[in-house]
Amino acid sequence: MKFKRNKVMTLLKKAALMLAVFGLVMGCDDFGNLNVDSNNPSEVRTDLLLTNAEREISDVVGATTGVIWTQLMAETQYEDDSRYSSATFDFNSWYYGPLKDLQTIIEENSNEDTMQEAAAAGSNANQIAAARILQVYFYHMMTDRWGAIPYSEALQGRENFSPSYDSQESIYMDLLKELNEAVSQMDSGPGPTGDIVFDGEMTSWALFANSLRARIALRMADVNPDVAAQEFTDAVNDGLITEDVMYPYLADADNENPWYGRFRTRTDYAISDVLANYMLNLDDYRVLKYANPAPVASNNDGQVTFDEIIGMDYDSPNPGDILNSSISFPGSAIGAGGPGVGIQNAPLPIITLAELNFAKAEAVERGWISGSAEEYYNAAIEASWMQWEVYNETNFTAFISQPEVAYSSADWKEKIGNQKWVAFYPNGYQAWAEWRRLDYPELEPHDRALSPDNEIPVRHMYPSSEEEINTENYEAAISANGADTPSRHLWWDVN
């Protein structure tokens, strides 16, 4: 799942230029033919729209809220997020950004007047399939943050500025349908150009779609087990990813790892003591990649050891008083550290073999698929160790043999939940979703939580613009689903 980085750079620059020009044109549509240059007719470059949409994946896999709320990291200066001072987040940029770009790709490749020109960037069917799959990826992230959201009436532009909200259940059903149909419509023609994740390989797109089906199906396991079981089983049979899908950053500021950028001039995040202590107590070698040595504990020999890792007190009453030298900042393996320390082009995980093996272990326990839950569970941890390049057979065998780690069907939710939490680092939104669903690990809210019920939020609140501008539909969503609070559980979060 890798892509040539110089080609990525070229595509990103073209996408930025095209969107800037497109924005100017769209902003000046009231002057008739004065803005039409017959010598330079404007065309929508679907390849560049795809590049631009895929760039937004970085804002999902590199987000900070999830890693803070699941205590994978702690804040070192300002503790607003750690204390849940606000659970209100704006979802509008997802609609007018990547979702709209992807919808335009679908429309350009479906319209008889434009599909021939659009086919220069790949077969019409394959471009549409890729766009539909990526729309599912973004919509799934959104509904798992806010719950009911505008969906079936979204992306209609001036035809509908006030879209209604769809229930999360109906969104989930349609996401599964979209993934199935997208894979079915793929043809033998060329894959989409402008694809910085899969380089236009439609086999990879199909495996990605099936893996998303498995992720979505498992998340609804407690509320619609029949559909969940069928979709998960079908996804496994159709074929899941065979290697980790990673977002390909560049050693360039135009598309650099966000953790590298955050640490360019600031040091606002450290590995939390909650995660660090859990891993250190188990001699989990991944912690040596998750965190850098605390300066006061480092022997500066270039080799990170367990005794050099010191987690940041998640509940510190005065985090700003804790010296940077006494804590471990996120490891350069995720890009953090800034110039001279971090890795600017360090990739971040989109979906991994570890996640899907944990999913298979759970599916065995639920009776959906055959096999050994223990073997899938161990394979998941092994895949995570491989992902972080710390695998050693002796160390790994000792690790999974410990009572705290060793698999047990009697408490499979706890075993899978704890290890899945560790393996998701630093993909915070997925860690947050699975923590809410499985209720493991047993995290305690911040001692000085500012949320209404002093608990860790289990959803995001809607942006204030919805209540002000889309009032009728906002109120209908509240009436149907419950109060717009961070403590209201989502449809699939029944525990």
Side-chain angles (χ1 to χ4, degrees):
M1 307 292 181
K2 297 179 181 177
F3 197 72
K4 294 181 179 179
R5 295 190 181 277
N6 59 342
K7 192 173 181 181
V8 174
M9 189 66 209
T10 300
L11 290 169
L12 293 175
K13 288 183 176 179
K14 286 183 178 179
L17 178 60
M18 183 277 290
L19 288 169
V21 174
F22 186 66
L24 290 173
V25 172
M26 292 302 291
C28 307
D29 61 356
D30 296 327
F31 298 95
N33 292 330
L34 290 177
N35 286 312
V36 177
D37 182 350
S38 60
N39 295 319
N40 294 287
S42 60
E43 295 180 357
V44 177
R45 289 280 302 275
T46 55
D47 58 333
L48 301 184
L49 288 175
L50 179 59
T51 303
N52 198 63
E54 288 183 332
R55 287 193 68 182
E56 299 303 314
I57 294 174
S58 176
D59 287 342
V60 181
V61 299
T64 61
T65 302
V67 293
I68 296 299
W69 285 4
T70 54
Q71 300 173 26
L72 296 171
M73 293 189 193
E75 292 176 292
T76 64
Q77 300 293 328
Y78 309 104
E79 54 183 345
D80 292 353
D81 289 341
S82 300
R83 298 175 64 190
Y84 333 118
S85 63
S86 175
T88 300
F89 290 81
D90 193 350
F91 54 43
N92 289 293
S93 62
W94 298 107
Y95 288 106
Y96 62 69
L99 289 173
K100 183 59 177 176
D101 288 343
L102 295 167
Q103 188 64 27
T104 302
I105 293 172
I106 294 171
E107 293 168 356
E108 291 292 307
N109 281 280
S110 303
N111 190 322
E112 292 184 0
D113 295 332
T114 58
M115 59 191 304
Q116 183 174 352
E117 290 80 6
S123 80
N124 297 130
N126 287 339
Q127 287 191 70
I128 294 171
R132 293 174 78 177
I133 293 166
L134 203 49
Q135 278 192 334
V136 169
Y137 173 79
F138 286 116
Y139 271 127
H140 185 226
M141 172 273 299
M142 293 168 65
T143 189
D144 277 2
R145 291 171 63 185
W146 287 276
I149 55 173
Y151 180 75
S152 59
E153 294 183 4
L155 307 178
Q156 296 180 13
R158 65 187 63 190
E159 295 181 9
N160 186 357
F161 286 127
S162 301
S164 62
Y165 286 60
D166 293 75
S167 69
Q168 188 172 41
E169 180 178 9
S170 65
I171 293 172
Y172 259 60
M173 295 302 106
D174 199 70
L175 295 181
L176 292 169
K177 177 187 73 67
E178 284 291 299
L179 291 172
N180 279 297
E181 291 182 358
V183 173
S184 296
Q185 78 174 110
M186 293 177 182
D187 62 22
S188 59
T193 58
D195 177 11
I196 65 174
V197 178
F198 299 114
D199 199 12
E201 292 289 337
M202 295 313 297
T203 299
S204 297
W205 275 103
L207 296 178
F208 179 55
N210 297 337
S211 300
L212 290 179
R213 280 171 61 199
R215 174 188 278 179
I216 293 169
L218 189 67
R219 198 147 296 162
M220 57 186 282
D222 291 328
V223 288
N224 195 334
D226 292 337
V227 171
Q230 188 63 58
E231 288 289 343
F232 188 94
T233 302
D234 288 347
V236 172
N237 291 336
D238 290 342
L240 306 182
I241 58 169
T242 57
E243 58 182 311
D244 298 334
V245 178
M246 310 292 285
Y247 183 86
Y249 292 102
L250 298 172
D252 187 285
D254 285 343
N255 188 35
E256 66 184 5
N257 181 295
W259 290 105
Y260 180 93
R262 290 177 187 123
F263 276 78
R264 180 177 278 107
T265 59
R266 302 182 62 87
T267 54
D268 290 335
Y269 305 94
I271 187 171
S272 79
D273 62 334
V274 180
L275 176 64
N277 293 343
Y278 180 81
M279 298 180 75
L280 290 170
N281 289 336
L282 297 172
D283 286 347
D284 189 336
Y285 281 79
R286 288 171 292 183
V287 77
L288 305 180
K289 292 296 186 79
Y290 287 9
N292 287 327
V296 296
S298 176
N299 58 18
N300 298 311
D301 65 352
Q303 300 295 320
V304 187
T305 57
F306 290 133
D307 58 358
E308 294 177 326
I309 303 298
I310 303 176
M312 170 74 184
D313 181 3
Y314 190 83
D315 288 324
S316 174
N318 296 295
D321 292 342
I322 296 177
L323 298 178
N324 285 351
S325 60
S326 65
I327 53 177
S328 291
F329 290 108
S332 59
I334 72 163
V341 179
I343 301 176
Q344 193 172 18
N345 62 348
L348 292 179
I350 299 173
I351 190 167
T352 65
L353 295 176
E355 176 187 347
L356 293 171
N357 275 304
F358 280 127
K360 290 178 183 178
E362 180 173 342
V364 171
E365 293 291 356
R366 291 181 179 274
W368 296 355
I369 63 174
S370 60
S372 166
E374 180 178 9
E375 288 180 5
Y376 282 129
Y377 171 83
N378 290 340
I381 301 174
E382 180 178 337
S384 182
W385 280 46
M386 291 284 193
Q387 175 189 337
W388 295 100
E389 299 179 344
V390 298
Y391 181 81
N392 170 284
E393 185 175 358
T394 300
N395 294 339
F396 178 73
T397 301
F399 176 76
I400 63 173
S401 299
Q402 298 174 91
E404 175 69 23
V405 180
Y407 192 74
S408 167
S409 289
D411 52 0
W412 64 264
K413 278 194 174 184
E414 179 179 359
K415 296 293 185 178
I416 293 175
N418 288 342
Q419 284 303 311
K420 207 171 192 180
W421 170 68
V422 174
F424 267 131
Y425 179 94
N427 194 336
Y429 281 137
Q430 288 305 314
W432 182 42
E434 288 298 272
W435 168 76
R436 286 176 287 167
R437 185 180 70 87
L438 293 171
D439 295 313
Y440 288 100
E442 296 180 331
L443 301 176
E444 294 295 329
H446 196 287
D447 284 344
R448 293 173 294 110
L450 296 174
S451 52
D453 57 359
N454 298 319
E455 295 292 336
I456 302 171
V458 292
R459 67 175 288 270
H460 285 168
M461 295 169 62
Y462 297 122
S464 58
S465 59
E466 284 297 286
E467 186 175 8
E468 297 168 356
I469 299 175
N470 195 14
T471 307
E472 182 177 348
N473 291 311
Y474 168 83
E475 292 179 347
I478 300 306
S479 177
N481 298 286
D484 184 19
T485 67
S487 59
R488 177 169 61 79
H489 291 247
L490 300 185
W491 164 67
W492 46 258
D493 182 10
V494 297
N495 300 317

